[in-house]
Amino acid sequence: MIRVLVVEDDPVAADAHTLYVDRAPGFRTVGTAHTAGQALRLLDRARAAGEPVDLVLLDLHLPDGHGLQLTGRLRAAGHGADIIAVTSARELATVRQAVSAGVVQYLLKPFGAAALRERLDRYARYRETLARAGEATGQAEVDQAFAVLRTAERSALPKGLSVPTLDAVARVLREADGSISAAAAGAAAGVSRITARRYLEHLVDTGLAVREPRYGQVGRPELCYRAR
């Protein structure tokens, strides 16, 4: 079982990342931190309990410091957890710094459950490759271990869905006062009712929304959605 610490200052995003991780076979979250200080304390506590963290999902923009500064602090403290950056930081200079700091994956927000699941699957295969006993037989085997992390990405969302529209519909759902219909969500997000329903159903399938009926005075109940 690969033990994961989620470091994310946005509580909604932290809950979503935790849900995604716990749904991935072979992974489980051992804690959630909203600041760099909390992250270090949780890492220390897990190590003292004899169950050190294997992987950190790290947001780079934290209230008490940059995430890459945290990577230096945890290495100085002797923590060997691998890092997957989960961030909206798109500057190539930041990407280069992340590589220099030993970040093994860099995932840009916003993303769906499938995108993170793919990164986790690659990471698990990478660990499995490196866990084999003995030395590498040659350069090809070393290259294969690194190639597992660098494989071309498959589609992160079901066919016909796009990340910008998913983000827009999810934002409408989060900001809604209670449940909302597909028609209302579509109007707020600037898409049709049918399109909004496809995205809302995807959010239900990934555990980020729930479906519930809204009963009126006559006729069948209207199907509505609310953020989980």
Side-chain angles (χ1 to χ4, degrees), residues 111-206:
F111 56 85
L116 181 56
R117 171 67 176 271
E118 183 182 41
R119 296 308 194 285
L120 294 175
D121 286 346
R122 290 191 215 167
Y123 176 74
R125 294 198 302 272
Y126 165 75
R127 282 178 59 94
E128 182 180 359
T129 300
L130 295 185
R132 295 170 186 165
E135 297 182 351
T137 57
Q139 184 65 46
E141 190 170 354
V142 175
D143 291 343
Q144 181 184 11
F146 283 96
V148 169
L149 292 171
R150 305 290 182 254
T151 304
E153 183 176 354
R154 301 187 302 270
S155 175
L157 290 174
K159 185 177 180 180
L161 302 189
S162 70
V163 170
T165 305
L166 177 62
D167 188 46
V169 173
R171 185 181 302 112
V172 168
L173 197 65
R174 289 196 303 267
E175 295 174 354
D177 184 14
S179 60
I180 187 172
S181 68
V191 298
S192 70
R193 175 185 60 83
I194 294 175
T195 297
R197 174 161 290 174
R198 289 188 63 201
Y199 284 89
L200 290 166
E201 288 294 331
H202 174 70
L203 291 170
V204 170
D205 291 342
T206 56

Side-chain angles (χ1 to χ4, degrees), residues 80-91:
D82 290 319
I83 308 291
I84 294 181
V86 179
T87 177
S88 58
R90 298 170 181 267
E91 302 83 0

Side-chain angles (χ1 to χ4, degrees), residues 94-114:
T94 302
V95 176
R96 286 195 296 270
Q97 292 171 7
V99 172
S100 298
V103 171
V104 298
Q105 295 268 15
Y106 198 101
L107 182 58
L108 284 174
K109 297 176 181 177
F111 56 85

Side-chain angles (χ1 to χ4, degrees), residues 25-100:
F27 291 82
R28 71 176 176 91
T29 53
V30 296
T32 302
H34 301 300
T35 67
Q38 289 178 356
L40 281 171
R41 288 192 292 272
L42 286 172
L43 286 162
D44 288 339
R45 192 178 307 158
R47 182 171 60 184
E51 294 187 343
V53 171
D54 300 305
L55 178 66
V56 177
L57 293 188
L58 178 63
D59 182 19
L60 297 186
H61 298 296
L62 300 172
D64 57 344
H66 197 278
L68 295 181
Q69 294 175 338
L70 173 60
T71 63
R73 293 172 62 187
L74 66 88
R75 294 295 181 244
H79 295 289
D82 290 319
I83 308 291
I84 294 181
V86 179
T87 177
S88 58
R90 298 170 181 267
E91 302 83 0
L92 291 179
T94 302
V95 176
R96 286 195 296 270
Q97 292 171 7
V99 172
S100 298

